[in-house]
C-alpha cells in the first residue's frame, strides 16, 4: 500500500506540472534555472572568500609557530630571543592581534604574550599533532563575540634529552569574520533581489513569448462554420507557429470541402426524394380525381410500385454509404478467385449487353482476400455504368492483374462516350452526374461510383479513372496486397 503511494506520488507531481499553463512552466523553468545558477555562483564566491581568509590566517599562525620552533631548535639557550619573539613582538603589533605561548611537557606556561591567559586560555587550544605544524587552525569563539584561530604544535628543543615543548598560537580573526558577515549580507540581498527580478523577467518573457499563441487563438476563434473560407496562414507567424497555421489552413480546406459536399448532398438528397414522391402524389391525385376502372387502378398501383422500388433502392444505397462512413466497419474477407468472380458478374449482365449490342470480354487471373458480396457489387456498378454509357457495337473489357507487389487490379474499360476532364475529380461524389449524360439507364441515381469508392475504402484500396471523350473510360480498382485485420478503417 505504502509502496503504491510512493510510486503514485511522482506521477501526481508530473500530472500537476502537465496541467500548468505554458506561461507558468516557462516562468518557473526560467526563474528556477537562473536562481540556481546565481545561488551556485554566489555560494562559490562566498566559499572562496572564506577559504582564502582562513588559509591566509592559518599561514600566518603556521609561520609564527615555525619561527618559534626554529629559535627553540637553533638557540635553545637564548631565552632573550624567544622572549622577544613571544612576548614583545606579539604585543607590539598593533595591526594584527596575535598571541603566542610556550609550555613545557607538564603543561606549565614558560612564556606567553602578556594578557594571553585571560583572552585565550590553555584549555581552549586543540591537541598538538606530533612534530608537525598544522596546515589549518581551529576557530574558537571566546564567548564575548570575538573569534580566534588557534593552532598548537610540538617543538623540539635543540639540547639533547630535553622533552619537546608545546607552542600555542592564536590570531584574532574578528575583522575577517566581520568582513565575511558583511559580504554574506550583501550576497543575500543581491541573491534575493535577483530572484525577484528573474521571477518578474520570467513572467514577462513567458507572456511576451506566448503572445503569438494568443494571437493565433484569436485568429482561429474568428473562424466559424459560416466563415470557413478564412485562412490564418497568410499572417506572419513565428517559425514554430507557421507550420501549425499551415496545418490549420489545410484542415480548413478539408472542412470547407466536406461542408460544401455535405450541403450539396443534402440538397441532392432532397431533390432525389422529392421527384418520386411528387410522382406518387400526382399519380394518386389523378387516380382519385374521378372514379376509375379496376384496370386503371391496377396500372396506377403498378406504376407506384416502380417508384417505391426506386425509392427503396435509393434508401438501401444511402444506408450502405452511411454505414460505410462509420468510424470502423467490419467486413468479412475470404479468398476469392477474381477471374471467376468477374465472369459471374459478366454472366449476370450478358443478356442486357447482348440486347444493347455490346460485347463483354474478360481476361487475367488473380486471387484476392475480399468481401465477395461487396467485391461483386463494386464490379457490377462499374460494368453497369460501362454498359449504360457505351453505344451499340462497343466493347467492355474487364481485366484482372496481379502486380509484383501482390496488389490486385481490376480494370473495366469501355469504348463509350468518355467523361470530360472537368468532371473527373467529382464523379465519385454522391449524386454527382455528368450533365447531360446520355445514360441508357432510365433513372440514374448518381450513387454507383460513390458506392464503389466506399467499398474500396473498406478494403483499404482505391478506385481511379482515366477517360477520354469519344474514346472511352477505364475504371481501375486496386486492392492492397496483405490484409491483416478484418476491420477496415474508413
Ligand atoms: P449514375 O447512376 O448516374 O451512373 P454513378 O455514380 O455511377 O451514377 O456515375 C456518376 C457519373 O459518372 C454518371 O452520371 C456518368 O455521367 C459518369 N460515368 C460513370 N461511368 C461512366 C462511364 N463508363 N462512361 C461515361 N461516363 C460515366
Amino acid at each position: 500500500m505504502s509502496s503504491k503511494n510512493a510510486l503514485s506520488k511522482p506521477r501526481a507531481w508530473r500530472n500537476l506540472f502537465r496541467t500548468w499553463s505554458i506561461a507558468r512552466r516557462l516562468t518557473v523553468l526560467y526563474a528556477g534555472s537562473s536562481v540556481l545558477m546565481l545561488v551556485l555562483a554566489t555560494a562559490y564566491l562566498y566559499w572562496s572568500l572564506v577559504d582564502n581568509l582562513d588559509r591566509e590566517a592559518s599561514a600566518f599562525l603556521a609561520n609564527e609557530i615555525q619561527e618559534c620552533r626554529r629559535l627553540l631548535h637553533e638557540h635553545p639557550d637564548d631565552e632573550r630571543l624567544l622572549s622577544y619573539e613571544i612576548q614583545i613582538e606579539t604585543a607590539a603589533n598593533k595591526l594584527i592581534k596575535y598571541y603566542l605561548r610556550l609550555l613545557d611537557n607538564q603543561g606549565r606556561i614558560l612564556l606567553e604574550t602578556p594578557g594571553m591567559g585571560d583572552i585565550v586560555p590553555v584549555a581552549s587550544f586543540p591537541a598538538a599533532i606530533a612534530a608537525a605544524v598544522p596546515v589549518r587552525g581551529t576557530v574558537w569563539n571566546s564567548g564575548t563575540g570575538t573569534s580566534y584561530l588557534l593552532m598548537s604544535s610540538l617543538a623540539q628543543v635543540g639540547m639533547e634529552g630535553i622533552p619537546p615543548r608545546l607552542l600555542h598560537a592564536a590570531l584574532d580573526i574578528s575583522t575577517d569574520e566581520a568582513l565575511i558577515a558583511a559580504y554574506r549580507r550583501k550576497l543575500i540581498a543581491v541573491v534575493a533581489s535577483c530572484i525577484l527580478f528573474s521571477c518578474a523577467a520570467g513572467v514577462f518573457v513567458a507572456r511576451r513569448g506566448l503572445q503569438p499563441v494568443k494571437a493565433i487563438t484569436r485568429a482561429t476563434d474568428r473562424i466559424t462554420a459560416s466563415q470557413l473560407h478564412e485562412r490564418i496562414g497568410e499572417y506572419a507567424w513565428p517559425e514554430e507557429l507557421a507550420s501549425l497555421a499551415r496545418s490549420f489552413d489545410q484542415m480548413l480546406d478539408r472542412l470547407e470541402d466536406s461542408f460544401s459536399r455535405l450541403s450539396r448532398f443534402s440538397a441532392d438528397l432532397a431533390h432525389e426524394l422529392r421527384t418520386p414522391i411528387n410522382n406518387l402524389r400526382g399519380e394518386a391525385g389523378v387516380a382519385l380525381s374521378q372514379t376509375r376502372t379496376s384496370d386503371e387502378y391496377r396500372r396506377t398501383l403498378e406504376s407506384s410500385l416502380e417508384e417505391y422500388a426506386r425509392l427503396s433502392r435509393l434508401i438501401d444505397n444511402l444506408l450502405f454509404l452511411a454505414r460505410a462512413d462509420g468510424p470502423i466497419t467490419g467486413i468479412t474477407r475470404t479468398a476469392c478467385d477474381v477471374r471467376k468472380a468477374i465472369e459471374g458478374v459478366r454472366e449476370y449482365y450478358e443478356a442486357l449487353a447482348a440486347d444493347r449490342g455490346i460485347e463483354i470480354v474478360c481476361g487475367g487471373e488473380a486471387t484476392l482476400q475480399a468481401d465477395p458480396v461487396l467485391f461483386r457489387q463494386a464490379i457490377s456498378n462499374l460494368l453497369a455504368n460501362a454498359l449504360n454509357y457505351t453505344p451499340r457495337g462497343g466493347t467492355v473489357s474487364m481485366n484482372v492483374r496481379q502486380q509484383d507487389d501482390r496488389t490486385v487490379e481490376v480494370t473495366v474499360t469501355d469504348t463509350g462516350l468518355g467523361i470530360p476532364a472537368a468532371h473527373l475529380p467529382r464523379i465519385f461524389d454522391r449524386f454527382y452526374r455528368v450533365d447531360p449524360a446520355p445514360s441508357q439507364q432510365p433513372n440514374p441515381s448518381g450513387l454507383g461510383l460513390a458506392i464503389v469508392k466506399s467499398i474500396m475504402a473498406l478494403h483499404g484500396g482505391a478506385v481511379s479513372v482515366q477517360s477520354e471523350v469519344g474514346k472511352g473510360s477505364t475504371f481501375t480498382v486496386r486492392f492492397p496486397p496483405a490484409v491483416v485485420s478484418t476491420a477496415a478503417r474508413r
Side-chain angles (χ1 to χ4, degrees):
M1 181 75 182
S2 62
S3 68
K4 198 178 169 193
N5 277 349
L7 274 178
S8 60
K9 258 187 185 165
R11 201 169 299 159
W13 275 108
R14 219 177 300 148
N15 282 344
L16 181 73
F17 187 71
R18 279 193 191 133
T19 56
W20 279 10
S21 68
I22 296 178
R24 191 190 287 186
R25 286 180 202 202
L26 287 178
T27 308
V28 168
L29 291 175
Y30 174 81
S33 54
S34 42
V35 165
L36 185 73
M37 251 162 35
L38 195 74
V39 167
L40 287 178
T42 335
Y44 173 73
L45 288 177
Y46 177 74
W47 171 83
S48 75
L49 176 76
V50 171
D51 189 59
N52 270 347
L53 288 174
D54 184 58
R55 198 187 294 266
E56 267 179 31
S58 294
F60 177 81
L61 283 184
N63 194 34
E64 289 303 318
I65 284 180
Q66 204 61 272
E67 183 60 19
C68 292
R69 279 166 62 120
R70 191 184 65 76
L71 290 177
L72 276 169
H73 188 66
E74 290 174 8
H75 310 283
D77 299 328
D78 198 341
E79 276 212 14
R80 210 172 41 85
L81 261 180
L82 210 56
S83 158
Y84 180 80
E85 184 70 26
I86 293 175
Q87 293 180 310
I88 315 273
E89 207 175 78
T90 52
N93 198 329
K94 296 287 175 226
L95 284 176
I96 306 169
K97 281 193 212 160
Y98 72 102
Y99 309 89
L100 289 170
R101 176 185 288 141
L102 182 67
L103 302 104
D104 65 12
N105 64 333
Q106 301 296 315
R108 283 185 299 256
I109 298 170
L110 301 175
L111 282 170
E112 69 173 11
T113 309
M116 182 178 177
D118 298 332
I119 299 166
V120 269
V122 175
S124 54
F125 278 82
I129 306 161
V133 180
V135 181
R136 294 287 174 114
T138 310
V139 177
W140 176 77
N141 200 293
S142 68
T144 56
T146 315
S147 297
Y148 295 91
L149 192 70
L150 307 179
M151 210 178 255
S152 305
S153 173
L154 290 174
Q156 289 297 330
V157 183
M159 282 177 292
E160 283 203 7
I162 297 181
R165 300 271 152 86
L166 178 62
L167 279 165
H168 280 175
L171 176 67
D172 184 342
I173 53 167
S174 44
T175 328
D176 288 357
E177 298 261 292
L179 182 91
I180 289 170
Y183 186 62
R184 196 168 46 227
R185 277 194 299 278
K186 278 185 192 151
L187 283 186
I188 289 171
V190 168
V191 168
S193 36
C194 283
I195 288 175
L196 287 178
F197 176 78
S198 53
C199 287
V203 172
F204 175 76
V205 167
R207 286 204 179 149
R208 202 57 212 251
L210 288 174
Q211 256 174 13
V213 178
K214 284 193 180 159
I216 208 167
T217 311
R218 279 197 299 274
T220 53
D221 277 351
R222 276 199 299 273
I223 297 170
T224 59
S226 56
Q227 288 162 315
L228 281 177
H229 58 277
E230 289 227 2
R231 295 293 177 267
I232 60 168
E234 60 218 31
Y235 303 110
W237 298 112
E239 202 181 318
E240 294 83 354
L241 293 183
S243 63
L244 179 71
R246 270 196 302 277
S247 306
F248 187 78
D249 280 353
Q250 282 162 9
M251 189 186 76
L252 283 178
D253 286 343
R254 290 193 296 272
L255 271 179
E256 196 181 10
D257 187 50
S258 299
F259 248 71
S260 57
R261 276 170 198 259
L262 201 65
S263 48
R264 252 193 333 259
F265 175 68
S266 308
D268 290 344
L269 182 59
H271 180 76
E272 289 301 318
L273 291 173
R274 198 177 56 186
T275 314
I277 286 173
N278 278 349
N279 290 349
L280 285 169
R281 275 186 61 187
E283 279 174 16
V286 170
L288 289 175
S289 61
Q290 61 183 78
T291 313
R292 307 272 174 192
T293 63
S294 59
D295 266 359
E296 282 170 333
Y297 282 128
R298 174 186 293 277
R299 273 200 298 280
T300 307
L301 283 177
E302 275 170 0
S303 151
S304 300
L305 212 58
E306 267 174 36
E307 287 298 342
Y308 289 134
R310 194 179 150 216
L311 267 176
S312 168
R313 266 199 314 276
L314 180 70
I315 289 166
D316 283 349
N317 285 342
L318 286 172
L319 267 179
F320 172 82
L321 287 169
R323 273 196 224 110
D325 270 353
I328 291 179
T329 308
I331 55 167
T332 321
R333 292 171 199 257
T334 47
C336 72
D337 181 339
V338 186
R339 175 64 184 270
K340 214 166 142 188
I342 61 166
E343 291 282 5
V345 179
R346 184 178 71 109
E347 271 167 34
Y348 184 80
Y349 282 93
E350 193 64 70
L352 179 72
D355 195 33
R356 293 188 185 168
I358 301 168
E359 190 191 2
I360 306 176
V361 290
C362 295
E365 299 285 340
T367 50
L368 176 68
Q369 289 280 331
D371 185 315
V373 179
L374 295 182
F375 177 78
R376 198 184 150 87
Q377 162 126 43
I379 301 301
S380 295
N381 286 9
L382 294 178
L383 182 57
N385 276 350
L387 293 177
N388 283 339
Y389 299 103
T390 302
R392 185 167 284 277
T395 308
V396 176
S397 48
M398 294 196 285
N399 276 297
V400 179
R401 198 168 45 204
Q402 184 131 21
Q403 305 278 35
D404 292 343
D405 62 355
R406 300 191 52 236
T407 304
V408 173
E409 273 184 9
V410 183
T411 52
V412 179
T413 307
D414 61 58
T415 54
L417 309 167
I419 306 164
H423 295 278
L424 288 178
R426 295 195 50 201
I427 55 164
F428 294 100
D429 286 2
R430 287 158 202 197
F431 295 123
Y432 191 80
R433 279 171 292 214
V434 178
D435 212 22
S439 169
Q440 300 189 46
Q441 190 187 348
N443 289 308
S445 69
L447 290 177
L449 289 180
I451 288 175
V452 176
K453 189 179 164 192
S454 283
I455 291 174
M456 292 317 294
L458 286 172
H459 284 86
V463 54
S464 57
V465 60
Q466 277 180 321
S467 188
E468 208 176 318
V469 177
K471 288 202 169 165
S473 314
T474 298
F475 285 85
T476 308
V477 284
R478 199 169 285 112
F479 291 84
V483 179
V484 183
S485 139
T486 55
R489 219 166 254 282
R490 178 82 169 78

